[in-house]
Amino acid sequence: MGFPILSLMVALPLAAALACLFSGARAARWIALVATLVNLGLGILLWTSYEIGGPQWQFTEYVPLFGRFAWALGIDGIALLLIVLSVFLMPICIAASWDSIQKRVPEYMAAFLLMETLMIGVFGAQDMFLFYIFFEAGLIPMYLIIGIWGGADRIYASYKFFLYTLLGSVLMLIAMLWMANEAGSTSIPVLMAYDFPAEAQTWLFLAFFASFAVKMPMWPVHTWLPDAHVQAPTAGSVILAGVLLKMGGYGFIRFSLPMFPIASAELMWLVMGLSMIAVVVTSLIALVQEDMKKLIAYSSVAHMAFVTIGLFAFNRQGIEGALMVMLGHGLVSGALFLCVGVIYDRMHTREISRYGGLANNMPKYAMLFLLFTMASVGLPGTGNFVGEFLSLIGAYEISSWVAFVATTGIITGAAYMLYLYARIAYGAARTEEAAAMPDLTPREFALLAPLAIATLWMGIYPESFLAPMRNDVGAVLARLAPTAPHSDAKVAIGNPKAAAAPGAHDSAEAHH
Amino acid sequence: MSMTASLALTVPELILSVGALMLLMVAAFGGDGFARAIGWGAVALFAAAGFSLIGPAGNGGPGFDGLYIADSFSSFAKLLIYVAAAVSVAVAPGFFSRTTGGYRAEYPILILLSAVGMGMMVSAGDLLTLYVGLELQSLSAYVLASFMRRDTRSAEAGLKYFVLGALASGILLYGISLIYGFTGTTLFAGISDALAQGITTGQLFGMVFIFAGLAFKISAVPFHMWTPDVYEGAPTPVTAFFASAPKVAGMALLLRVAIEAMGSGTDSWRQIVIFAALASTILGGVAAIGQTSIKRLLAYSSINNVGFALFGLAAGTPEGVAGTLTYMAVYVAMTLGSFICVLQMRDADGHPVETIASLSGLSRSRPGLAAGFAIFMFSLAGIPPLFGFWPKFLVFDALVRAGFWPLAMVGIATSVIGAFYYLKIVKTIYFDDPAPEFAPAASKLEGGLITLAALAVSPLGYLAIPLLDATSMAAARALF
């Protein structure tokens, strides 16, 4: 056990949060920014010192501090990338709230820093109950963020967010208790290798599903998300869409798939069915939204359905694609919420019909917004393309119908995003205020530029992101292999040499 | 066992009763001017009684031919009772000195006597010891409830408590007489042997009545009706006392009777406990939603929490009993903390206020107090990482281990109902616009106690798990 870098990354924001509570508004902003930047530095250090192809679990720490369960931390490639995503988004959130949050700043910064602690804890926990505690604890700061600094209808949204997710999670707790009792261990790596009895797996799967499906969110338990997004302050939406939603997907790949492979195969159609409905229905709902944030929230539900489709395709393309969608969506939806926040700060309305023609007076903004719109649509060259393409290939291998229905989501996705962009940025300004809005300030530009670079990086050289998680996806696949359902399309894997013809670059990449 | 050896087992009770009588003399001759000094004397007596548990009184086994048992179970419960009682005494002067009647010397003495009764309850090895202890505790409690004589609500609370408490005692006594009649003994060990040979209808009736009587004392549904009225009417320090120490004593007594005396009939009483547990968690959650008084809300919260603690007993295993004991330990910290927070709710003139609406926007006028409230509320709701999560974890773990996982699923789902009204308090404190400010903090002691309780239920509490696990498990094993 070397230097406890993960513990440090968990403890640092916590200490900063306490410091914020006891300082003034100005000091709290700086403390929060410095702490999150230091954590970003640590995250980059973590990424660079992560040994690709090394042991499955790295940076492990184990202190049997609590008797029944332990302070056990450790990450694999999947957790690594999600931690990096979290620490990357965090300073952006703090900076995005620099001017727009004016009331109760110390508490606001403390809530965000606490959130960061808990997010890193969730992805880094190697003990099931430690995971649960971090997973659930996130409700408290998010409840406060939505409830104190949210929009007009914030109280309803905060309750809905809290109670929905709590109900899902408590059932998971009972399943965890049963598992710990059955397997005699609370260590996640041990449980990932434990074969639970087939009939129990179904129940356990459903209990975990209740929690992760709400967190994800999957149709029909997604209704808390639009409310929470619309009411939350901009940075709250970024964190919610960027990281919190990823906890559901992370839960599926960390718990449901490797621990209950039999049940996962049996209940594949439940997940696929709900995901297919989600792609079609929420995309259509997004098409008719008048509120920018709501539109992006519904698009998040649709994108998350690509994640579940990919995960439950039971093949490498699907799972790697799902993880890429998670990362890509974390960046892009975060960036889109920031874009909305930029113009919301100027006009204080989220109604699409009040804007228009922003390309004339805000060219830099229109440029970046266009980039993120295209990324959300899944244009090649952006991170989302890689993810969606891979997960659809994976889905096609398992069922052509799923792939067919899911692909319509790409088309409708293009429709609602381009329609949104056209109404906001093109044509003539519908209101005088919209025409008079100044372009991005350097601070706003500095927030969006790193996201743009990261999105393009993911699209142009996805190997940097795929490489760390390749072996871990392989480990999950090895657990799934005995029960993986058969493909309806009977796709035969071709000879790689023969397939390496011009234009087949992407499929070759998918088979890396 | 000789008489002196038996007496050595009861040292804590001896300290408390002799001390209480001496303080009573001081009060009789010195008057209310000595009230504060008597209060500190009582706290010192509680400390002394607590330390005396290190000796034979802590783990000396049965005495007085089995009538009285000093084991690790009783010392676990006694320690909690003494801490809770001492805190209830310590916070009282600040409250009573601002009321019309003033602080009177009887208050600490009544609490001392009540604690003697509670000590006997948790150490009872015989149904009659149990009854005597219970009545000593209850009689002191009736007087305490109506301690503010000139306040009609307090008088009403005392009367209500007395009438319903007497009814419950009658039910309990009837059950005791049935058990005695159908088993031929009142000793727990004897009852256990008799029940092991198969349970007759008469014995079953006796069990039901005893459980009903004890359910009243811990205010489990359907015997909870007195709780909101009494908690609301009684002076706040007294309510804090009712919600903590007698609850622990009643729960410990129930555990001992259920396991030690009726352990061989577990399957017969389990359904009663399961019903009471589920009904308490559901009703305690649903009925609390519409409350406007913080004290009534906390009364329903205590009903709700007793329901969760009962889940541990429903498992009927040592792990379950240990879970219930841990539950009570954490519950005492949470509930005392919340009531001391309620004690800080005073309007500008120093009069106590009790409406939830008056908490509105507290986070801006008194951020420290607001944070304390929020910590206790989230902890009572059982949201990790606060420590209130841990005892819920333990009782449900025990249920799952005993094979009752469907019950655990239903039980934990009811905790979401409870979460709603705890969230409502947090919402009032943090999201709403400020109401008129409270009077500034008057007592460093109360602030210190709130801080201490808040630290205990904060994530730091998890560091105490190994200690809590070891002691509660040792206590639970003493019953099996």
Side-chain angles (χ1 to χ4, degrees):
Chain A
M1 192 162 103
F3 181 70
I5 184 167
L6 285 172
S7 288
L8 181 66
M9 288 178 77
V10 170
L12 180 75
L14 186 65
L18 289 175
C20 278
L21 282 180
F22 292 102
S23 44
R26 209 182 123 74
R29 287 192 184 109
W30 281 106
I31 292 173
L33 187 65
V34 170
T36 49
L37 282 173
V38 171
N39 237 18
L40 174 61
L42 287 173
I44 292 169
L45 181 68
L46 196 70
W47 195 4
T48 48
S49 49
Y50 182 84
E51 192 187 332
I52 294 172
Q56 189 185 1
W57 301 100
Q58 304 188 15
F59 308 105
T60 50
E61 299 169 28
Y62 183 87
V63 189
L65 212 50
F66 311 115
R68 299 259 181 136
F69 66 102
W71 179 261
L73 297 177
I75 52 170
D76 63 355
I78 298 168
L80 167 78
L81 290 175
L82 288 167
I83 288 179
V84 170
L85 175 69
S86 313
V87 295
F88 177 67
L89 286 176
M90 219 51 211
I92 296 177
C93 285
I94 300 289
S97 322
W98 205 262
D99 292 329
S100 58
I101 298 294
Q102 288 298 340
K103 67 167 187 175
R104 297 159 97 180
V105 178
E107 287 149 297
Y108 181 87
M109 294 300 167
F112 266 86
L113 288 165
L114 187 58
M115 210 59 232
E116 181 170 22
T117 289
L118 299 172
M119 291 182 313
I120 296 171
V122 164
F123 298 129
Q126 245 191 340
D127 184 289
M128 187 166 57
F129 293 125
L130 193 65
F131 169 86
Y132 182 82
I133 287 172
F134 281 126
F135 188 79
E136 278 283 88
L139 295 183
I140 297 177
M142 205 61 213
Y143 172 74
L144 295 177
I145 289 170
I146 297 174
I148 300 179
W149 295 279
D153 206 11
R154 60 188 194 272
I155 293 180
Y156 171 74
S158 63
Y159 274 122
K160 197 169 177 179
F161 164 77
F162 196 103
L163 295 175
Y164 244 77
T165 32
L166 180 65
L167 182 61
S169 316
V170 291
L171 298 177
M172 176 171 80
L173 176 64
I174 300 294
M176 285 181 167
L177 292 172
W178 194 91
M179 287 159 64
N181 192 24
E182 162 85 13
S185 170
T186 60
S187 155
I188 290 176
V190 171
L191 290 165
M192 281 169 79
Y194 187 86
D195 294 310
F196 289 100
E199 65 275 22
Q201 281 196 13
T202 311
W203 289 104
L204 295 172
F205 181 91
L206 287 174
F208 276 78
F209 185 69
S211 177
F212 297 144
V214 171
K215 207 74 165 194
M216 193 91 197
M218 292 176 72
W219 187 88
V221 285
H222 65 284
T223 61
W224 63 270
L225 182 75
D227 287 317
H229 266 322
V230 169
Q231 301 304 332
T234 302
S237 299
V238 173
I239 273 308
L240 198 55
V243 185
L244 291 194
L245 300 192
K246 310 300 170 288
M247 289 185 186
Y250 178 74
F252 276 125
I253 196 156
R254 180 65 76 234
F255 291 90
S256 303
L257 289 172
M259 293 186 196
F260 324 123
I262 303 173
S264 298
E266 270 174 5
L267 294 169
M268 180 197 90
W269 281 106
L270 171 72
V271 179
M272 287 295 194
L274 292 180
S275 308
M276 280 165 16
I277 296 174
V279 166
V280 175
V281 172
T282 55
S283 298
L284 291 176
I285 295 175
L287 207 49
V288 297
Q289 292 306 315
E290 294 298 325
D291 180 314
M292 291 185 284
K293 271 184 139 180
K294 228 170 189 162
L295 190 150
I296 299 170
Y298 278 109
S299 85
S300 286
V301 182
H303 279 108
M304 287 298 109
F306 282 112
V307 174
T308 40
I309 286 175
L311 286 178
F312 283 80
F314 293 88
N315 49 43
R316 178 173 289 279
Q317 293 84 338
I319 293 178
E320 286 187 349
L323 289 167
M324 287 301 278
V325 173
M326 277 163 64
L327 296 174
H329 175 264
L331 296 173
V332 171
S333 68
L336 286 172
F337 278 118
L338 284 174
C339 287
V340 171
V342 164
I343 52 178
Y344 179 81
D345 285 346
R346 289 169 172 63
M347 274 183 58
H348 297 283
T349 175
R350 297 180 304 265
E351 247 179 88
I352 298 171
S353 58
R354 307 257 297 151
Y355 295 94
L358 294 191
N360 301 324
N361 52 332
M362 299 177 76
K364 280 191 232 160
Y365 173 79
M367 176 68 207
L368 281 170
F369 190 26
L370 180 66
L371 172 72
F372 294 121
T373 303
M374 287 305 165
S376 179
V377 169
L379 198 74
T382 63
N384 279 22
F385 169 73
V386 181
E388 287 176 17
F389 185 75
L390 282 175
S391 60
L392 287 173
I393 289 189
Y396 181 69
E397 278 186 27
I398 197 101
S399 160
S400 29
W401 276 109
V402 172
F404 175 74
V405 174
T407 313
T408 63
I410 301 220
I411 300 164
T412 42
Y416 61 71
M417 284 312 294
L418 295 177
Y419 184 44
L420 169 74
Y421 187 78
R423 281 181 290 171
I424 287 183
Y426 293 157
R430 291 192 193 83
T431 52
E432 281 177 23
E433 300 104 296
M437 284 200 294
D439 205 350
L440 293 178
T441 64
R443 179 181 66 87
E444 288 161 344
F445 189 77
L447 294 180
L448 291 170
L451 287 166
I453 293 167
T455 308
L456 290 173
W457 181 10
M458 277 190 72
I460 293 166
Y461 193 65
E463 177 63 12
S464 330
F465 301 87
L466 287 168
M469 55 197 186
R470 184 158 292 130
N471 285 347
D472 304 303
V473 172
V476 174
L477 285 172
R479 286 284 290 165
L480 291 172
T483 53
H486 294 293
S487 150
D488 67 342
K490 308 277 188 301
V491 180
I493 307 290
N495 181 353
K497 269 191 183 150
H505 175 74
D506 278 307
S507 67
E509 191 173 74
H511 288 286
H512 267 305
Chain B
M1 193 176 247
S2 70
M3 195 59 169
T4 39
S6 289
L7 276 176
L9 299 181
T10 61
V11 171
E13 278 73 46
L14 291 176
I15 292 176
L16 292 179
S17 38
V18 172
L21 293 176
M22 278 162 47
L23 290 178
L24 190 61
M25 288 299 120
V26 177
F29 291 101
D32 287 339
F34 283 91
R36 279 171 192 261
I38 292 173
W40 286 114
V43 172
L45 286 174
F46 281 125
F51 278 114
S52 74
L53 292 171
I54 297 169
N59 209 353
F64 300 108
D65 297 321
L67 292 178
Y68 184 95
I69 305 168
D71 53 9
S72 46
F73 178 83
S74 66
S75 38
F76 187 95
K78 276 181 196 173
L79 203 59
L80 282 181
I81 291 167
Y82 296 156
V83 169
V87 170
S88 316
V89 171
V91 298
F95 175 84
F96 285 111
S97 60
R98 285 184 296 270
T99 59
T100 44
Y103 186 48
R104 298 201 309 279
E106 292 93 336
Y107 178 84
I109 294 165
L110 283 167
I111 293 213
L112 278 172
L113 289 174
S114 181
V116 175
M118 289 187 278
M120 296 207 27
M121 283 161 72
V122 298
S123 279
D126 183 285
L127 289 174
L128 290 178
T129 323
L130 175 166
Y131 187 74
V132 171
L134 192 66
E135 282 306 285
L136 180 53
Q137 181 265 319
S138 299
L139 285 172
S140 317
Y142 303 145
V143 183
L144 282 170
S146 49
F147 197 71
M148 282 159 67
R149 291 175 291 200
R150 293 187 187 83
D151 183 86
T152 45
R153 282 194 318 165
S154 179
E156 181 199 331
L159 185 66
K160 235 174 209 166
Y161 197 14
F162 174 67
V163 172
L164 291 172
L167 178 70
S169 294
I171 292 173
L172 179 67
L173 208 52
Y174 184 53
I176 290 176
S177 68
L178 281 173
I179 287 286
Y180 176 58
F182 284 97
T183 61
T185 177
T186 53
L187 273 176
F188 288 174
I191 295 170
S192 178
D193 291 342
L195 295 183
Q197 288 148 25
I199 297 170
T200 64
T201 313
Q203 289 165 345
L204 195 62
F205 265 85
M207 278 166 70
V208 170
F209 278 107
I210 288 181
F211 270 91
L214 293 179
F216 178 91
K217 299 295 173 191
I218 57 169
S219 66
V221 175
F223 303 99
H224 65 285
M225 284 83 87
W226 58 277
T227 320
D229 292 339
V230 172
Y231 278 29
E232 189 191 13
T236 309
V238 176
T239 313
F241 175 68
F242 284 172
S244 52
K247 276 266 158 75
V248 176
M251 186 59 82
L253 178 62
L254 183 62
L255 291 177
R256 197 188 275 282
V257 171
I259 303 293
E260 209 166 79
M262 301 173 178
S264 39
T266 303
D267 291 330
S268 313
W269 54 253
R270 181 176 276 137
Q271 39 191 316
I272 304 177
V273 174
I274 289 177
F275 172 79
L278 272 181
S280 301
T281 52
I282 293 173
L283 194 122
V286 173
I289 293 172
Q291 301 304 325
T292 54
S293 154
I294 184 85
K295 280 166 81 180
R296 281 187 87 85
L297 183 120
L298 286 172
Y300 281 107
S301 149
S302 85
I303 296 171
N304 183 282
N305 276 288
V306 158
F308 284 112
L310 282 175
F311 278 122
L313 177 60
T317 55
E319 289 83 16
V321 173
T324 303
L325 285 174
T326 310
Y327 202 109
M328 293 321 282
V330 180
Y331 168 77
V332 162
M334 295 188 292
T335 203
L336 282 177
S338 344
F339 274 108
I340 303 174
C341 284
V342 172
L343 279 176
Q344 311 304 308
M345 296 167 59
R346 295 187 308 272
D347 61 18
D349 305 328
H351 296 300
V353 280
E354 289 165 9
T355 57
I356 294 175
S358 71
L359 285 170
S360 202
L362 186 67
S363 62
R364 272 177 261 181
S365 50
R366 297 277 294 278
L369 182 61
F373 248 122
I375 286 176
F376 295 126
M377 290 302 129
F378 279 124
S379 185
L380 281 166
I383 310 293
L386 295 167
F387 200 44
F389 162 71
W390 184 247
K392 286 202 169 76
F393 175 96
L394 288 179
V395 293
F396 286 115
D397 186 37
L399 270 187
V400 171
R401 275 171 201 251
F404 295 99
W405 61 267
L407 177 65
M409 286 261 172
V410 178
I412 205 160
T414 64
S415 77
V416 179
I417 309 174
F420 177 72
Y421 66 82
Y422 295 121
L423 281 185
K424 208 175 84 173
I425 305 279
V426 177
K427 176 219 126 191
T428 312
I429 292 175
Y430 275 91
F431 304 172
D432 290 355
D433 293 325
E437 277 189 34
F438 289 144
S443 157
K444 284 210 172 66
L445 173 74
E446 289 171 15
L449 285 172
I450 292 176
T451 314
L452 210 60
L455 284 179
V457 300
S458 74
L460 292 178
Y462 285 86
L463 297 175
I465 288 175
L467 176 73
L468 264 177
D469 261 0
T471 49
S472 66
M473 208 57 209
R477 291 237 177 265
L479 296 188
F480 284 85

